[in-house]
Amino acid sequence: MATNENVSAVDQKTLDLTYKKITIRLIPYIFICYLFNYLDRVNVGFAKLQMLDDLHLSETAYGLGAGIFFIGYVACGVPSNLMLYKFGARRWISLIMVLWGLFSTLLMFVRDANTFYALRLLTGATEAGFFPGIVLYLTRWYPSARRGRVMALFMSAIPLSGVLGGPFSGWILGHFARGEGLFAPWQWLFLLQGLPTIVLGIGMCFLLSDGVESATWLNEDERVSLQRALIEDDRNRPSTVSDTFSDVLRNSSVWILGLIYFCIQSGVYAINFWLPSIIKASGLVDPNVIGWLSAIPYLAASIFMVVVGRSADARRERRWHLSVPMLMGVGGLIIAANFGSNPTVALIGLTMATMGALTGLPMFWPLSGGYLSAAAAAGGLALINSMGQIAGFASPYLVGWVKDATHSTDMALYILACVMLAGVLLVLRIPARTVNR
């Protein structure tokens, strides 16, 4: 007769194999969608290299246009995630992907600042539900103990979008030389990076399942073991958890999480929107060279992100696995500001900053499991994400305004380093017992 220990070992082995099957089935497609999500969000950083002269826009106007995206994003984040909760992830995410891909592509027809602002606003509004929706979607499959590595795999699309997007964007700007073809190079950039999102959005409706119960590709034993693991995970949540969205709004810890996420995103968006310009300011002007050099920080970040995610899950430790990368981001921004005229040292600083800031993103989200029940997750995750995305408006606008005022990005990088440092202090105030699961 089998002992309880043997039965438990068999069950755990079955569960591990089931999660491997789920990861292979879900993560690659979601990863590709998020890669284009991030590429569509930040390709204005490369378009800026030529678009500003064509449209006669100032640095401040560009910063406003880059950042106004997040006004629509913040305004629509919570409503969009509540709609996803009502109508299902597959259909809702498919719809918003098609819409934001369309608006992102239409940026190629921008002729003045006001049109630029309007399309960026609409793109942000339609895109708002994607990331918090995917985070919510993954909580329906993975318990807390497995989310660190899964979030790292999923969010490694961010640095990979830089690894692939930098050289690709540089190649587009270089290949479609001014005067060749129907469009300017920056217009081709929006066209060739926007259309795939529409195709991926249509595919989302057909390729993914809404949850464990509707996954016809799982057998009954696999489905039961997954449901049991998720129920057990929900039982083990600490007493500080919010059970409804009204509880979320009254939970001060959730607002602190949103503020921490704002601090992380302040560094992330400074890098995303200004990395090509900072490299160019160090003395390099060839768009192909800028594209390849901008890939280096993102390549390092993609590796570092996965390594730290695995370590966090293996050790069941969350706070220091978030704080240390954030401190790397602080140091990297300071180095980039101090040595902006030295391309090699500036690139080392930007690489450190990119590794730290981007790794902070997936390391942040497992913290929310200590404060949100399944019922509150739809609105709560979107609220935290929306607070963080305010940095998407504030950070690029700050950098643009400082650059117009001082003809340098140095002071802005110092300010953003201080913001990230404040985020580290907030993380270390969270009790370890609440989040180390």
Side-chain angles (χ1 to χ4, degrees):
M1 183 174 179
T3 66
N4 289 338
E5 288 80 4
N6 288 336
V7 172
S8 178
V10 170
D11 288 346
Q12 186 59 48
K13 184 177 180 180
T14 301
L15 193 59
D16 289 340
L17 290 173
T18 303
Y19 273 114
K20 184 176 180 180
K21 180 178 180 179
I22 292 169
T23 300
I24 293 172
R25 172 82 184 203
L26 300 181
I27 299 301
Y29 193 79
I30 293 174
F31 174 91
I32 294 171
C33 291
Y34 193 43
L35 190 153
F36 276 93
N37 168 256
Y38 225 76
L39 201 59
D40 284 347
R41 190 183 304 182
V42 302
N43 57 10
V44 290
F46 274 93
K48 169 184 178 288
L49 298 176
Q50 297 178 356
M51 185 175 69
L52 263 63
D53 289 337
D54 281 2
L55 302 181
H56 307 292
L57 297 178
S58 68
E59 297 283 350
T60 303
Y62 164 74
L64 178 59
I68 205 169
F69 169 100
F70 296 95
I71 294 178
Y73 194 106
V74 170
C76 296
V78 172
S80 182
N81 230 33
L82 294 175
M83 294 292 283
L84 180 148
Y85 187 75
K86 181 177 181 179
F87 293 111
R90 249 180 347 113
R91 295 179 183 86
W92 187 253
I93 293 178
S94 174
L95 174 63
I96 62 179
M97 284 186 69
V98 170
L99 290 175
W100 102 58
L102 176 63
F103 290 132
S104 182
T105 303
L106 289 175
L107 280 164
M108 67 183 292
F109 299 115
V110 164
R111 288 293 177 266
D112 54 42
N114 289 333
T115 311
F116 181 46
Y117 299 155
L119 283 172
R120 288 288 293 172
L121 184 69
L122 289 170
T123 306
T126 50
E127 190 181 315
F130 178 78
F131 177 76
I134 291 295
V135 174
L136 175 63
Y137 181 70
L138 293 176
T139 64
R140 294 177 176 175
W141 295 90
Y142 296 94
S144 300
R146 296 178 183 266
R147 287 179 198 155
R149 74 193 76 176
V150 170
M151 288 301 299
L153 283 172
F154 162 52
M155 297 188 73
S156 62
I158 299 176
L160 189 61
S161 70
V163 174
L164 301 177
F168 182 44
S169 298
W171 175 82
I172 291 173
L173 294 179
H175 178 76
F176 293 97
R178 197 173 304 277
E180 293 185 7
L182 297 174
F183 308 117
W186 62 268
Q187 292 176 298
W188 281 108
L189 182 67
F190 288 125
L191 177 65
L192 296 179
Q193 294 183 358
L195 288 180
T197 300
I198 299 173
V199 176
L200 288 167
I202 295 170
M204 175 75 74
C205 199
F206 297 99
L207 297 178
L208 297 187
S209 305
D210 277 321
V212 175
E213 298 83 0
S214 61
T216 56
W217 41 275
L218 293 173
N219 62 44
E220 188 61 27
D221 289 340
E222 291 169 337
R223 192 176 292 109
V224 169
S225 64
L226 288 172
Q227 290 172 331
R228 188 180 299 140
L230 291 170
I231 291 170
E232 184 65 25
D233 183 61
D234 201 46
R235 285 177 183 158
N236 291 333
R237 295 177 188 275
S239 59
T240 53
V241 73
S242 294
D243 289 318
T244 66
F245 187 56
S246 60
D247 291 336
V248 169
L249 296 176
R250 293 191 296 268
N251 190 334
S252 61
S253 297
V254 172
W255 291 96
I256 290 173
L257 287 174
L259 188 55
I260 293 169
Y261 199 50
F262 172 88
C263 295
I264 298 170
Q265 291 283 29
S266 292
V268 169
Y269 284 116
I271 294 165
N272 286 340
F273 287 121
W274 291 93
L275 178 60
S277 297
I278 293 171
I279 293 174
K280 184 178 180 180
S282 68
L284 301 168
V285 294
D286 187 324
N288 282 299
V289 174
I290 293 172
W292 282 106
L293 288 178
S294 70
I296 294 173
Y298 289 112
L299 178 61
S302 63
I303 298 170
F304 188 61
M305 184 181 287
V306 173
V307 170
V308 174
R310 289 182 176 275
S311 174
D313 279 356
R315 291 169 173 77
R316 298 290 181 92
E317 199 289 320
R318 304 297 176 188
R319 294 191 311 159
W320 286 105
H321 280 82
L322 172 58
S323 298
V324 171
M326 289 178 69
L327 288 171
M328 284 180 59
V330 171
L333 289 174
I334 292 172
I335 291 172
N338 272 329
F339 299 95
S341 61
N342 185 318
T344 302
V345 179
L347 188 61
I348 291 172
L350 289 170
T351 301
M352 271 185 62
T354 306
M355 291 171 65
L358 292 184
T359 299
L361 296 176
M363 292 304 96
F364 167 82
W365 285 105
L367 269 64
S368 65
Y371 298 97
L372 298 170
S373 69
L381 292 174
L383 176 63
I384 293 170
N385 185 59
S386 293
M387 289 180 66
Q389 298 306 329
I390 295 171
F393 173 78
S395 181
Y397 184 73
L398 170 70
V399 178
W401 180 80
V402 169
K403 187 171 183 182
D404 272 343
T406 66
H407 306 292
S408 171
T409 58
D410 293 353
M411 183 55 66
L413 296 181
Y414 286 127
I415 293 172
L416 294 171
C418 291
V419 171
M420 288 194 70
L421 181 59
V424 174
L425 298 178
L426 289 173
V427 171
L428 295 178
R429 289 185 70 248
I430 297 175
R433 66 182 182 278
T434 305
V435 295
N436 288 346
R437 298 198 296 145

